Amino acid sequence: MQTDPFALQLRYSTATLGGNESQLAAEGRIYLAWLNPSNGLWQNSTTGDFGAGLPGDVYLDVQSSWATFASEHDITDANIGNFLGSYGVDVYDHDVWAVVNHNSQFAVVPEPSGLVLAACGALALCGAAIHRRRA
């Protein structure tokens, strides 16, 4: 459902990262995600936006806090729509943020490739257990 543009910020636990926080953040592997109802996958929250911000005002994978970013760019309620699609991570406070305009399910996605590998490993273990029971 479309909404007025707003900034959403969520905190994450470093225990869930499975790697060096600063490195993962620099590689763009920690971000605010939304559950895309059309495919059931967690994706970058800005991919669910209706439209986009203004060219030159959209910043991707910003490595600072929302407060710092908003202050540096003089973001207010009146002009936040210009920044629609911007997102970032703050490793100091362990927060992710994004400027979005949709009402959805949101979560922090840490290191997606690691989560996929963990899921594959769990499936392999289940398959091995089933194979042993049959033998």
Side-chain angles (χ1 to χ4, degrees):
M1 174 188 308
Q2 186 170 357
T3 66
D4 290 336
F6 63 97
L8 178 62
Q9 179 174 290
L10 293 178
R11 180 150 292 158
Y12 59 87
S13 168
T14 57
T16 63
L17 295 179
N20 179 288
E21 179 181 14
S22 295
Q23 181 180 352
L24 293 172
E27 294 172 353
R29 298 171 76 183
I30 305 172
Y31 56 89
L32 182 66
W34 75 295
L35 184 58
N36 185 335
S38 66
N39 61 20
L41 297 176
W42 289 100
Q43 297 175 303
N44 187 303
S45 60
T46 60
T47 63
D49 288 340
F50 294 86
L54 296 179
D57 283 348
V58 177
Y59 296 83
L60 309 178
D61 201 23
V62 176
Q63 302 292 306
S64 76
S65 70
W66 164 250
T68 300
F69 178 77
S71 175
E72 289 173 353
H73 297 282
D74 297 318
I75 298 175
T76 65
D77 288 344
N79 71 359
I80 195 168
N82 299 350
F83 297 86
L84 182 65
S86 299
Y87 65 92
V89 60
D90 174 10
V91 296
Y92 180 76
D93 289 324
H94 317 296
D95 292 329
V96 292
W97 58 267
V99 180
V100 296
N101 68 350
H102 57 103
N103 186 11
S104 304
Q105 285 185 293
F106 296 98
V108 178
V109 173
E111 193 190 1
S113 60
L115 295 175
V116 170
L117 287 174
C120 290
L123 287 174
L125 288 173
C126 289
I130 291 169
H131 183 269
R132 277 190 221 131
R133 287 185 185 168
R134 290 185 181 170

